[in-house]
Amino acid sequence: MRILVLTKRQYTSKDLIDDRYGRLWEIPSSLAKKGNEIIGICLSYRKKRSGLHVEEDENSMAVRWYSANTGIFYIFGLIRFFLIARKMIKQYKPDIIWSCSDTFYGVLGYYFSRKYQCRSVIDLYDNFESFASYRIPILRTLFRKAVRESDGLSCVSTNLEEHIRINYKREKPIAVITNAVNTETFYPMDKLECRKKLGLPLDAKIIGTAGDLSKQRGGHIMFRAMLEKKDQLLNVHLAVAGSRAAGTIIPESDRIHDLGILPPGQVPVLINALDVAVVYNRTSLFGDYCFPQKLYEILACQRPIVAADVGVMSTILKDKPYLLYTEDDMDSFVYVIKEQLSNQKKLDITIPTWSNQADLLQNYMFSVISNT
């Protein structure tokens, strides 16, 4: 297949090309390795080197990424991106446009598919209703129409699939393609060696995580517990890394270790340094429908977890309630933390690779081409 990917360049606090991270890098790369011809067009909201970026593997199977910048004037940047994408679609003549990362790209991919007689598959790696762009009335209306009528739709969780069917009245097939993990990066490592690399105490019990530490995502419960329940968490330290919204306060304490924003290659080092990893979340338009990327990363490193009883984690861990804590309930959080520090119960769950998920998407795209 000839597949064209439309997306923004910066997502989940990472840069698609610089960091080569996550769903929007891994799935196109895996599709290319399976013999598909992939070209990606991404819009950068920061000043980056524009033009063509090609990183070939040993078999010369690679995605050709074309990057464009918005520039100072955002609206002109969007128009420029539209014109670049239109030109490349006319030249490339894709079989399918896979449009990802935000409402604007979903609408654009749907429009181009109707204009140039190819197929459109929109990808929802989160519930875009939680994104700022969804609050723009015209864009919201166009997006809902595109999601409802697009030839195909891939989404990150069964919760989100159900939401789309009920609230968008979509009747066409939907492919649920969860996030996955790169097992060449995330794998078990020696805990003490990882602590030495990060400057963490060697003899303490350490809990923590790497991810968005903002209160709206639920990260605040770890900090509150360390300060307000410290008498129940004796010799327990907290190690965290990741982005945080403006105004997020990381308390100063000799038992709280803020590692800032780690390079992607250091994230598995932090996970392997932990005694228990935390998959926090909160009920929201985002939390109810997301699939926490960190879950599979933690499991690939074979570390014990605790998780907020929210969204898909409630389903995944329905038979293991002792790993779930009630969101925003510190007593519940402290209880499951102490139990896991004592028992170190690990999950035995099959972890999909990005290649597995690319297989699912490829098969779905074949069906979209043949059935529409």
Side-chain angles (χ1 to χ4, degrees), residues 8-199:
K8 60 187 178 186
R9 180 165 169 170
Q10 288 83 29
Y11 76 110
T12 62
S13 303
K14 299 290 192 302
D15 186 284
L16 175 65
I17 293 174
D18 291 347
D19 296 324
R20 304 184 192 181
Y21 174 83
R23 183 184 188 91
L24 304 187
W25 173 269
E26 297 283 2
I27 289 181
S29 295
S30 294
L31 286 171
K33 292 175 182 177
K34 297 176 189 301
N36 299 286
E37 187 180 353
I38 315 292
I39 187 166
I41 310 174
C42 59
L43 181 62
S44 177
Y45 303 141
R46 303 169 194 157
K47 188 176 181 179
K48 295 287 185 177
R49 181 174 71 83
S50 59
L52 190 63
H53 300 252
V54 181
E55 300 291 339
E56 294 184 347
D57 66 8
E58 63 275 11
N59 298 314
S60 298
M61 307 298 288
V63 180
R64 289 176 290 156
W65 283 105
Y66 188 94
S67 179
N69 296 324
T70 56
I72 298 174
F73 301 104
Y74 187 80
I75 187 65
F76 293 128
L78 294 178
I79 294 171
R80 184 167 56 251
F81 181 79
F82 173 88
L83 295 174
I84 290 170
R86 185 180 67 176
K87 178 180 178 181
M88 296 185 74
I89 290 169
K90 290 169 70 175
Q91 292 177 348
Y92 184 57
K93 294 181 172 57
D95 299 306
I96 280 188
I97 298 172
W98 194 48
S99 46
C100 316
S101 75
D102 212 328
T103 55
F104 169 72
Y105 304 92
V107 171
L108 198 61
Y110 175 74
Y111 164 79
F112 281 137
S113 72
R114 296 302 181 261
K115 176 75 173 177
Y116 297 107
Q117 281 112 35
C118 59
R119 305 305 183 201
S120 168
V121 176
I122 297 174
D123 182 64
L124 305 180
Y125 74 82
D126 277 326
N127 179 13
F128 292 171
E129 292 174 23
S130 66
F131 289 21
S133 62
Y134 189 79
R135 295 196 288 270
I136 302 173
I138 294 176
L139 190 54
R140 178 171 63 245
T141 299
L142 293 174
F143 174 71
R144 292 181 70 90
K145 174 181 172 64
V147 167
R148 184 172 59 252
E149 298 182 4
S150 178
D151 301 305
L153 186 75
S154 53
C155 67
V156 76
S157 71
T158 54
N159 294 33
L160 186 53
E161 176 195 22
E162 182 179 9
H163 175 71
I164 293 299
R165 290 203 180 281
I166 294 173
N167 294 289
Y168 287 63
K169 309 301 181 185
R170 179 176 171 86
E171 297 179 353
K172 295 179 182 179
I174 299 174
V176 176
I177 298 175
T178 67
N179 289 326
V181 68
N182 184 340
T183 53
E184 294 181 1
T185 302
F186 291 90
Y187 55 87
M189 305 175 190
D190 183 85
K191 181 169 67 175
L192 293 182
E193 288 300 317
C194 290
R195 291 185 177 187
K196 289 177 183 177
K197 289 180 181 179
L198 298 174

Side-chain angles (χ1 to χ4, degrees), residues 204-350:
K205 296 290 187 181
I206 303 180
I207 66 172
T209 198
D212 188 333
L213 301 173
S214 305
K215 181 177 180 179
Q216 57 264 36
R217 296 290 177 87
H220 67 298
I221 195 167
M222 299 182 296
F223 307 123
R224 288 187 59 201
M226 291 298 297
L227 294 179
E228 299 176 31
K229 301 290 184 178
K230 59 184 179 181
D231 58 325
Q232 299 181 41
L233 296 172
L234 298 176
N235 196 37
V236 176
H237 287 232
L238 172 66
V240 296
S243 61
R244 65 287 313 262
T248 300
I249 298 175
I250 309 297
E252 292 187 10
S253 167
D254 58 1
R255 294 197 298 152
I256 297 176
H257 310 272
D258 179 12
L259 302 176
I261 298 178
L262 291 174
Q266 290 294 301
V267 172
V269 178
L270 171 56
I271 293 173
N272 277 284
L274 303 175
D275 291 293
V276 175
V278 182
V279 182
Y280 50 82
N281 208 345
R282 297 182 85 184
T283 299
S284 67
L285 284 173
F286 171 83
D288 288 349
Y289 304 106
C290 70
F291 190 98
Q293 175 71 35
K294 64 173 72 76
L295 170 66
Y296 283 154
E297 294 174 349
I298 294 165
L299 296 185
C301 295
Q302 297 182 14
R303 305 312 303 146
I305 72 163
V306 300
D309 191 2
V310 174
V312 297
M313 295 306 299
S314 300
T315 302
I316 293 172
L317 299 178
K318 64 181 180 180
D319 296 327
K320 297 176 175 60
Y322 51 85
L323 301 180
L324 293 169
Y325 68 88
T326 303
E327 62 173 310
D328 295 334
D329 185 329
M330 276 197 298
D331 290 329
S332 175
F333 177 76
V334 169
Y335 177 79
V336 295
I337 284 289
K338 291 174 67 176
E339 287 294 301
Q340 270 294 67
L341 285 173
S342 297
N343 299 322
Q344 295 282 287
K345 293 182 179 179
K346 298 179 182 179
L347 285 177
D348 183 15
I349 294 176
T350 301

